Amino acid sequence: MNKEKPAELKFMNISNTCKIYGIGRTYCYKLLAEGHIKAKKLGGRTLISTESANKYFNKLPDYKSQASV
């Protein structure tokens, strides 16, 4: 049996990106247009760089409730 971990996902399509990060398609394309995340084209498919998406979402500020302010 192969005990190696599967290769980390390098790119994902728009639909999976939206599902994983809980965003809409329009917002995803906005992030692309503004250069916040990167993508490659494969034929007609747009493939989002998992690394760039993770970097963008990890840089977002933490939520602070009004009760803690």
Side-chain angles (χ1 to χ4, degrees):
M1 185 189 282
N2 187 355
K3 294 184 180 183
E4 291 181 40
K5 292 183 180 180
E8 185 177 322
L9 187 63
K10 304 259 187 218
F11 294 92
M12 56 192 157
N13 63 26
I14 297 288
S15 295
N16 286 341
T17 303
C18 293
K19 284 180 195 174
I20 290 168
Y21 294 104
I23 60 174
R25 293 178 71 83
T26 302
Y27 191 71
C28 187
Y29 281 108
K30 179 182 176 187
L31 292 175
L32 282 168
E34 293 175 353
H36 296 295
I37 59 176
K38 296 179 181 181
K40 300 280 186 185
K41 290 296 284 188
L42 180 62
R45 298 177 66 196
T46 303
L47 301 173
I48 306 296
S49 161
T50 305
E51 180 181 358
S52 72
N54 286 335
K55 281 182 183 179
Y56 173 75
F57 285 98
N58 285 332
K59 286 181 184 179
L60 293 176
D62 290 337
Y63 171 79
K64 293 182 182 176
S65 71
Q66 293 297 324
S68 67
V69 176

